[in-house]
Amino acid sequence: MNTLRAVPRSVRLLCCGIFFNAVVSFTFIYLFVWLTGPRGLTVAQAGLLGGIGGIGLVAGNFTGGWFGDVYGHRRALLAGAAVSGSILCVVALLPVAALYVALPLAQYAAGVVRSANSALIAVGVAEGSRRQGFAVMRFASNAGFTVGPPLGALVAARFSYGWLFVADGIATLLFAVYAARVLPGHGAARGPRPPSAAGAPRLRAELRARPAVLVLLAAIVCVDLVYRQQYSTLPVFLGDHGFDARVYGWLIAINGGVILCLELPAAHALRRRAPLSMIGAGLLLVGLGYLALVPGASLGTAIALMVSLTFGEILYKTTATAYVADRAPAHAQGRFQSLYAGASISGQVLAPPLGGALYTAAPGLLWPLCAVLAALAGLAVLWARRLPDGVAGRDTGPSLETGSPRRAVAG
């Protein structure tokens, strides 16, 4: 309850909408099955379509914040949800050739919505409480994704896979209507307007002034490549060692259940801890998890992997999102959130092909390399504590990293 009290009502209402939208965002979970089943595509064709859609999603995350900074984050969310929902409503009726345009466009719009959600949390929650705000958002999203897949399976079994797209599309449009009603049409929810001609530095200059943020973004790209191996090569690895899909399903359930139970209280309890220290520790835990697989596959090592990954995720994901928001200048909050959102989902495109290729060529190297890459990312973030983070020169009160007041820097 203490966590919720730190989050404004409009943000809590937005998170309710995010939960509802996540419940029905089951379309792309079953996309491959729909393409290779009812649509009759080959595995290669389905893989190509899925990959193109993933690129659209990452591109939407990387660029969506620009729309919010220029036109307002509320408008960006509404436009993205309207485009994505409209396409999903009709995508099951489209010929295969049209899917090569429709699917990446729908995913691009969904990426814009994702970055707009993050930007709205960043501008709607006061600095110092953003970890709790992003923890509430992740709780809503994870809870929705926990309910959604089995619900989607019931819809597909009772009706058809095509109805999944219709349900997802209608629900996304309803989310746009709901967001238009609960988000204020002025102030923070619209996002800051771009600076005037005399205005603030360009994004590149703002990032150069914040090398710690740049190191963090690079580390997140590296660790997301490692983290998302659990959705691509891990089930293959377990299957090759005699474990069936039920074991993998229970492992994913451990991840989701622990996050739902612990992430909100952890965000509140650790809210005053130095952010880069927490993020670095979280990335090291991700590496430690994959290190557990190096001796071989067993039920114990698989559980150890998932527990370590889960606690690492609890430490780094919410904290990193809030850290980027706290270091962003007001006129570029959306673009900073877009950079983080894109980095945090980059593994969705990179992890399957790179991990799959390495596992095919040298399976014994995959897990040690994952552990080393995540460890290096964690150490880089810990080292970045000594770099400028863009807060100097602002009256921010005590430093989260040192606990001492920051001084304004002349010039």
Side-chain angles (χ1 to χ4, degrees):
M1 291 304 296
N2 289 330
T3 299
L4 291 177
R5 279 197 291 267
V7 179
R9 180 175 180 273
S10 62
V11 173
R12 296 199 302 269
L13 290 174
L14 173 63
C15 289
C16 290
I18 290 172
F19 166 77
F20 171 73
N21 198 40
V23 168
V24 294
S25 295
F26 37 53
T27 295
F28 293 97
I29 297 174
Y30 298 104
L31 175 64
F32 201 88
V33 177
W34 176 69
L35 291 174
T36 56
R39 297 312 297 262
L41 273 63
T42 65
V43 172
Q45 288 174 314
L48 177 60
L49 266 173
I52 293 173
I55 292 172
L57 180 64
V58 172
N61 277 276
F62 269 121
T63 61
W66 180 87
F67 297 112
D69 285 338
V70 174
Y71 302 108
H73 304 302
R74 179 177 180 272
R75 288 178 178 173
L77 185 154
L78 299 181
V83 171
S84 179
S86 299
I87 294 173
L88 290 173
C89 283
V90 300
V91 75
L93 303 175
L94 298 177
V96 171
L99 294 179
Y100 286 90
V101 176
L103 288 178
L105 182 57
Q107 286 282 63
Y108 179 86
V112 171
V113 172
R114 186 173 183 267
S115 64
N117 284 334
S118 294
L120 285 163
I121 302 295
V123 301
V125 180
E127 185 173 349
S129 297
R130 286 185 178 132
R131 292 193 205 180
Q132 295 98 301
F134 284 113
V136 172
M137 183 185 76
R138 277 181 45 80
F139 178 87
S141 181
N142 285 324
F145 282 124
T146 300
V147 175
L151 179 62
L154 290 175
V155 172
R158 179 65 178 83
F159 301 100
S160 71
Y161 283 103
W163 281 105
L164 293 178
F165 291 92
V166 176
D168 195 347
I170 292 174
T172 302
L173 292 174
L174 290 175
F175 173 60
V177 174
Y178 172 82
R181 292 182 64 86
V182 303
L183 294 175
H186 59 278
R190 289 174 62 91
R193 302 300 296 176
S196 58
R202 292 179 178 272
L203 180 63
R204 186 176 299 177
E206 297 285 12
L207 289 170
R208 281 201 301 267
R210 297 161 173 80
V213 173
L214 285 173
V215 172
L216 173 63
L217 291 173
I220 293 300
V221 171
C222 292
V223 86
D224 203 57
L225 170 61
V226 173
Y227 172 82
R228 293 187 190 275
Q229 295 301 323
Q230 66 177 303
Y231 304 120
S232 54
T233 52
L234 177 62
V236 177
F237 171 76
L238 293 174
D240 288 345
H241 288 80
F243 295 98
D244 60 22
R246 290 175 295 178
V247 173
Y248 177 68
W250 276 108
L251 288 175
I252 298 300
I254 290 174
N255 175 265
V258 172
I259 287 175
L260 288 177
C261 292
L262 296 185
E263 187 161 26
L264 275 175
H268 179 73
L270 301 174
R271 66 192 183 281
R272 300 190 186 281
R273 299 288 183 178
L276 291 181
S277 298
M278 284 183 57
I279 296 165
L283 302 190
L284 290 175
L285 281 174
V286 172
L288 183 64
Y290 283 102
L291 189 63
L293 294 180
V294 172
S298 69
L299 187 59
T301 57
I303 293 174
L305 159 71
M306 194 54 63
V307 169
S308 189
L309 278 183
T310 301
F311 281 103
E313 179 178 353
I314 288 172
L315 286 181
Y316 91 81
K317 286 205 170 184
T318 294
T319 311
T321 314
Y323 177 84
V324 172
D326 287 342
R327 270 64 189 172
H331 68 277
Q333 184 65 259
R335 280 164 286 179
F336 268 62
Q337 281 303 306
S338 260
L339 287 172
Y340 180 79
S344 70
I345 205 171
S346 59
Q348 186 162 319
V349 172
L350 298 175
L354 295 180
L358 181 58
Y359 186 73
T360 300
L365 288 179
L366 177 60
W367 307 128
L369 187 59
C370 284
V372 169
L373 190 59
L376 290 176
L379 293 173
V381 170
L382 294 175
W383 171 79
R385 291 176 296 179
R386 67 186 68 187
L387 297 176
D389 59 7
V391 179
R394 290 163 45 191
D395 183 13
T396 60
S399 163
L400 290 172
E401 286 299 331
T402 64
S404 60
R406 298 187 186 275
R407 295 181 180 177
V409 178

